[in-house]
Amino acid sequence: MIKVLFLIHDLGQGGAEKVLVNLVNNMDQSKFDITVLALFGGGVNEQFLKENIHYQVAFPKAFPGNSHIMKLLSPTYLHKVLIKDKYDIEVSYLEGPAARIVSGCPNRDTKLVSWIHVEQHTKEIAAKAFRSFKESEQCYYRFNNTICVSESVKKDFLSIYPMISNIDVLYNTNETAHILAQKEEAVDEAFVEDNSIKLCGVGKIVPIKGFDKLARIHKRLIDDGLNIHTYILGIGSEKDRIQKYVNDEGIEDTFTFLGYQTNPYKYVARCDMFICSSVAEGFSTAATEALIVGTPVITTPVAGMEEMLGKNNEYGIITEMSEDSLYWSIKELAENQDKLEHYKRQATSRGKFFSKEITVKAVENKLLSLL
């Protein structure tokens, strides 16, 4: 039995946290003895871990200044304090603090894997969780293998750390059968009776997701006379600010926050378009899930979208990063029923590519190859 540790900051509502749970729940338990260690507990995805996954929490919840305090301590010391057992493979699942801690592993026989989820673009951003960029280089160089969630994330990472050689791309794991089953569950009567063109966005309501931009686009579409209703599934720090804008503009009847949903698929499947308004992503879990349930995706040009939707918009629409570009693409699809139906068919077709069995097997083979 191969003992594997996955270290992650927390199991909150983010996409990386969700796909980690999907991955470990579906790995071959006859080959892998899996432990998930979260630095901070209380995340909503904890509840979905299967019983045979060993789950540990370093601290009950995040505390103020934790990132600063951790930087005062060496990776070797943090590893000694936080990781008590010995493993065949240790995986830092997410860049930053987890990578710094795992890099401090003193066991020469343990294979170390760094899992990178987002484009970081600059040395300053990449080294944010480290004492310096030089320390980040030293830490990442200790890993036996680096895994990126998309080709664009790999390209970005290599632009910052060109000395990294053992680097691969493995796509995120989605519970495809589970998603397709859950999309059939009933939704609120008011949602069913809403006969408008439904747009949706899913994720943490934080600046990087661009939901404020989506609210402004929604206002423009309403002013154009389109029968549009936008639904946001998620919670976060920007919610109140965006809600104030919605109220001030008088569009509160057609722009609705649905909060965090353990089953977002039943809503996404009943929407006409999934909108990714983010300024940065790794390989969007929410967009992948939209394709699986057959909802067309319109997205900004964030990491992974060309791999997901095609370079020529075969399976969805990739806009420019500007607010105007996203607005015009949504408007065009809202006004062209034939084109909308085309992308619904294309979304369903592309969704079949993200098979749970294929992605899990690829990870298992990669981990086995390290030993």
Side-chain angles (χ1 to χ4, degrees), residues 253-325:
D253 291 339
T254 60
F255 193 99
T256 304
F257 289 96
L258 293 175
Y260 174 77
Q261 299 286 331
T262 55
N263 177 8
Y265 321 115
K266 62 184 181 181
Y267 292 103
V268 177
R270 290 171 171 86
C271 284
D272 297 285
M273 301 175 224
F274 172 92
I275 312 300
C276 174
S277 51
S278 300
V279 296
E281 289 282 349
F283 195 85
S284 172
T285 301
T288 308
E289 292 169 345
L291 294 177
I292 290 170
V293 301
T295 300
V297 172
I298 300 181
T299 178
T300 52
V302 289
M305 288 304 183
E306 281 195 357
E307 290 162 75
M308 191 184 300
L309 303 176
K311 291 185 178 181
N312 298 308
N313 292 344
E314 293 97 330
Y315 300 102
I317 297 174
I318 304 172
T319 72
E320 297 175 2
M321 187 54 82
S322 71
E323 188 172 311
D324 272 351
S325 180

Side-chain angles (χ1 to χ4, degrees), residues 345-357:
R345 293 190 296 271
Q346 291 299 94
T348 301
S349 172
R350 188 57 169 168
K352 296 174 183 177
F353 176 79
F354 301 102
S355 158
K356 175 184 70 178
E357 289 74 20

Side-chain angles (χ1 to χ4, degrees), residues 4-11 20 24 34-41 46 49 53-59 78-79 81-85 87 90-93 98 101-102:
V4 184
L5 172 73
F6 289 89
L7 176 64
I8 191 168
H9 185 272
D10 61 73
L11 285 180
L20 173 59
V24 298
I34 299 170
T35 298
V36 173
L37 170 59
L39 292 178
F40 304 104
E46 292 178 353
L49 282 170
I53 304 300
H54 310 297
Y55 183 55
Q56 302 172 7
V57 171
F59 303 98
L78 287 168
H79 190 283
V81 171
L82 298 175
I83 301 177
K84 308 294 187 183
D85 208 348
Y87 298 90
E90 292 184 13
V91 180
S92 71
Y93 203 81
I101 294 166
V102 169

Side-chain angles (χ1 to χ4, degrees), residues 20-72:
L20 173 59
V21 172
N22 293 342
L23 172 62
V24 298
N25 281 348
N26 289 286
M27 289 176 65
D28 189 340
Q29 305 302 316
S30 68
K31 295 179 181 177
F32 299 95
D33 180 14
I34 299 170
T35 298
V36 173
L37 170 59
L39 292 178
F40 304 104
V44 295
N45 275 296
E46 292 178 353
Q47 62 186 305
F48 302 118
L49 282 170
K50 290 184 176 178
E51 291 183 0
N52 53 2
I53 304 300
H54 310 297
Y55 183 55
Q56 302 172 7
V57 171
F59 303 98
K61 61 180 181 179
F63 52 88
N66 66 78
S67 58
H68 176 71
I69 292 169
M70 285 190 184
K71 279 193 279 189
L72 296 175

Side-chain angles (χ1 to χ4, degrees), residues 84-154:
K84 308 294 187 183
D85 208 348
K86 184 176 180 180
Y87 298 90
D88 298 301
I89 301 172
E90 292 184 13
V91 180
S92 71
Y93 203 81
L94 277 177
E95 50 287 321
R100 189 168 182 265
I101 294 166
V102 169
S103 74
C105 177
N107 305 313
R108 293 186 176 181
D109 294 335
T110 301
K111 302 300 181 183
L112 307 183
V113 177
S114 173
W115 214 298
I116 308 298
H117 282 79
V118 298
E119 292 180 348
Q120 299 173 93
H121 300 302
T122 68
K123 291 181 178 181
E124 290 74 22
I125 294 174
K128 189 175 181 181
F130 300 86
R131 292 175 178 173
S132 65
F133 179 73
K134 183 176 181 180
E135 187 195 55
S136 75
E137 285 185 307
Q138 293 169 342
C139 288
Y140 282 123
Y141 194 70
R142 290 214 61 226
F143 287 90
N144 300 96
N145 189 243
T146 299
I147 294 172
C148 296
V149 298
S150 69
E151 290 290 346
S152 52
V153 168
K154 175 182 175 180

